[in-house]
Amino acid sequence: MSNIFSIGISGLNAAKASLDLTSHNISNVNTDGYNRQVLTQSAAPPQFAGYGYVGSGVDLNSVSRLYDGFMDKQLQGATAGDSGYQTQLTALNDIDNLVSDGSAGISNVMQGFYSSIQTLGSQPSSIAARQSVISQAQSVASRFGSMNTRLNELRNGLINTVSASVDSVNAYAKQISQLNQQIINLGQGDGRAPNDLLDQRDNLVLKLNKLIKTDSVQQSDGTYNIFVGQGQPLVLGNSSYDMVMSRGAPAQPEDPEAPSISVKLPGGTMVALDSTLLSGGSIAGAMTTLTTDLPRVQSDLGRMAIEFSDAVNRQHALGVDLNGQLPTSNFFTDLSAQRTAAETATTPAGQAKALRAALSSFSVILQDPSKLAVSSNLQAAKATPSGTPSVTSIWQVSNLSPATNPVLPAAPALTLKYQPANVPPALPFAADYGGTAIVVTQSATQPGVYQFTVPVGPLATDVANIAFKYEGQATTNQDIVISPRSGAVTASAQLDNANLLEMGRLQTRQLMAATPSTGNTFMPTIGAARTANSQSFYGQMVSYVGSRTNVIQVSQQSQEAALQEVKLRKESFSGVNLDEEAANLMRYQQAYQASSKVIQVAQEMFKTVLGIA
């Protein structure tokens, strides 16, 4: 008789426990990281009754969660990848919008500057037209500066994001270590694990991976050890270690503003994380942008500012102003110190710092429009003995860095030798420089222009490049003396625009060397071939940003799809299904009622037996 009672009570307890667990599942249907829990039960050991073994009810074995460790690892990896790409994509979209915007970019203001030069070329003595050139130059400098300011804002925003994320990583790591301790305290072997604490810990690990990709290793006591980077510990059992974001030295000694990430171990030892090897999370995405894409764009803009200003300054130095005087100041700020700093820097961070400084320093020095060196610093005398042909325009073409840029000296004498007897392809001109014969060639890019090079110093690079145009012919040899222009200029000389026109040709002159394709430098080697003019180089930079944005966007979309797939599979496996739980409620309620009926029957049988007695 007692066996019936115990069997009914065991069934009653099993149904009640199942109802409690089902209610718990339903209550946590919207709890992040919750895994559906199930009750495992088995038939109680039977008892021998002489005629055979008779069942003795049901035993409750364990409460376990539906959890797949491999699937959880996939979810962590997909979450880290998606978060990293999303952070990169957001930053790259901001950069792309800035550099590709026609109203905010460089190309339109550069075009405005060269257009103002063309306007001044038709009226070289006009003060208003000269002022327009200076104003357009100021617009160019202002645009470089505003772009640098905006990029610095993006840079500081990413650094602040990394700093805030590092604080969150430390908070999560501390909570995980505390949960590890609680799990040790509450865990009582297989089947008696504190499932809700395990879910909380796994959810914290998932949140951690959204910030930085981690590797978690479960220990025999149920705790997690968590590692980042190249195996640096973040959590070991019930101990957590702080992640630290620092700037400058020792990780980036050449740039005091450059961020770096380290893990602080016991005793204060700092272990630096290689940002290039962080494989996911918003911190990795931000650090990739901070060390690769953003400094690449700022460095390219800095090099553009350096080479453009240097080329204009060099050509400007080879002209004379409205009063016939050589320039006493540069047109733009001299950025050669920043170029040298970038060339001698030993790290990409040091190069980027020097080139950012160039952008910050870029400005217009020339303020007086009458000081704009529009006219050539050279003048040609009449041909002797006949007076023809005449040199209608002669000017000096600047050398590009690192070559020197000397002004043609007054001595020794420079003479153009007109020789009409020369038969094509020989040219009708040669030059004589202090008794040294110099070959004159015809320009391949400018019709009607002749050119030659005069050595004016001890080095092979100490040369003056002369170009000229002529008109008229003579039947006999003629000499045309070329001399530096100095002192007051005549009214006709003020109409000379040769130096200004050569300054305008800088628009198509190849001033820029290509940026190295490797990620460990932003500077081409010294003396690298110049393959692009300023505007086409800017176009290449815009193309780089657009290409990078597209690559990251495709990667992010792919990673997002993978993340959604893993989420759906995990939800299908371990998520709470309200329809299923509602059906379970009814099933367990019926079981409870049936077990109650067993107890009721046993009670009535017991009363009957007592009545017989």
Side-chain angles (χ1 to χ4, degrees), residues 103-186:
S103 60
I106 296 295
S107 294
N108 62 332
V109 291
M110 292 279 280
Q111 183 59 51
F113 172 71
Y114 287 117
S115 295
S116 68
I117 287 179
Q118 293 175 1
T119 300
L120 178 58
S122 63
Q123 42 186 335
S125 62
S126 169
I127 294 296
R130 286 168 173 259
Q131 183 60 58
S132 177
V133 172
I134 295 175
S135 297
Q136 290 295 330
Q138 290 170 338
S139 295
V140 172
S142 176
R143 184 61 52 83
F144 272 103
S146 63
M147 291 188 71
N148 186 51
T149 298
R150 177 62 183 137
L151 290 171
N152 279 335
E153 289 173 353
L154 291 173
R155 185 169 182 267
N156 291 331
L158 286 170
I159 291 174
N160 291 336
T161 297
V162 171
S163 179
S165 297
V166 165
D167 292 340
S168 297
V169 166
N170 293 335
Y172 291 148
K174 186 175 182 180
Q175 292 177 59
I176 291 170
S177 66
Q178 292 171 346
L179 284 171
N180 274 343
Q181 185 61 56
Q182 293 180 53
I183 289 168
I184 292 175
N185 295 339
L186 297 177

Side-chain angles (χ1 to χ4, degrees), residues 276-547:
T276 63
L277 299 180
L278 298 178
S279 56
S282 61
I283 291 177
M287 290 298 291
T288 298
T289 306
L290 283 167
T291 57
T292 305
D293 300 312
L294 191 54
R296 160 70 187 267
V297 172
Q298 283 190 288
S299 297
D300 281 356
L301 287 173
R303 288 209 297 124
M304 272 186 67
I306 289 173
E307 300 304 341
F308 170 71
S309 62
D310 184 63
V312 172
N313 285 343
R314 283 168 172 260
Q315 191 58 53
H316 185 257
L318 298 179
V320 294
D321 62 21
L322 199 57
N323 299 314
Q325 303 299 313
L326 290 172
T328 56
S329 70
N330 286 324
F331 194 109
F332 290 106
T333 309
D334 182 5
L335 301 177
S336 56
Q338 287 81 356
R339 178 200 280 126
T340 300
E343 289 174 342
T344 56
T346 58
T347 63
Q351 294 171 349
K353 177 180 179 293
L355 295 170
R356 288 198 307 271
L359 281 175
S360 300
S361 303
F362 184 37
S363 62
V364 177
I365 300 297
L366 187 67
Q367 300 297 324
D368 185 351
S370 68
K371 299 296 184 182
L372 185 59
V374 172
S375 302
S376 170
N377 66 337
L378 301 178
Q379 57 187 356
K382 288 185 178 182
T384 57
S386 70
T388 56
S390 63
V391 173
T392 57
S393 182
I394 186 166
W395 65 95
Q396 192 173 333
V397 181
S398 64
N399 293 313
L400 299 178
S401 177
T404 57
N405 192 50
V407 175
L408 184 71
L414 174 62
T415 304
L416 286 177
K417 298 286 189 179
Y418 178 71
Q419 301 166 336
N422 286 353
V423 177
L427 299 181
F429 277 101
D432 179 275
Y433 185 60
T436 301
I438 296 174
V439 176
V440 175
T441 61
Q442 194 163 12
S443 171
T445 58
Q446 299 180 66
V449 174
Y450 295 82
Q451 57 194 20
F452 59 95
T453 298
V454 178
V456 293
L459 300 178
T461 55
D462 295 336
V463 296
N465 303 304
I466 311 297
F468 67 94
K469 294 181 179 180
Y470 81 98
E471 62 181 24
Q473 295 180 346
T475 57
T476 58
N477 290 351
Q478 303 289 317
D479 288 343
I480 303 174
V481 176
I482 307 301
S483 61
R485 177 179 282 156
S486 61
V489 241
T490 63
S492 61
Q494 290 181 350
L495 297 178
D496 175 21
N497 59 6
N499 194 59
L500 178 76
L501 295 180
E502 188 60 39
M503 200 182 301
R505 293 187 189 100
L506 293 175
Q507 183 174 16
T508 57
R509 192 170 177 185
Q510 292 180 332
L511 304 180
M512 305 300 302
T515 303
S517 57
T518 58
N520 59 355
T521 181
F522 300 117
M523 288 292 293
T525 57
I526 298 176
R530 299 169 186 261
T531 57
N533 60 56
S534 295
Q535 287 167 289
S536 64
F537 179 79
Y538 183 78
Q540 292 171 15
M541 186 193 74
V542 172
S543 176
Y544 164 81
V545 175
S547 175

Side-chain angles (χ1 to χ4, degrees), residues 92-93 95-96 99-100 539-553:
L92 282 169
N93 277 329
I95 298 172
D96 189 37
V99 300
S100 62
Q540 292 171 15
M541 186 193 74
V542 172
S543 176
Y544 164 81
V545 175
S547 175
R548 282 286 294 159
T549 303
N550 184 65
V551 168
I552 297 302
Q553 184 174 26

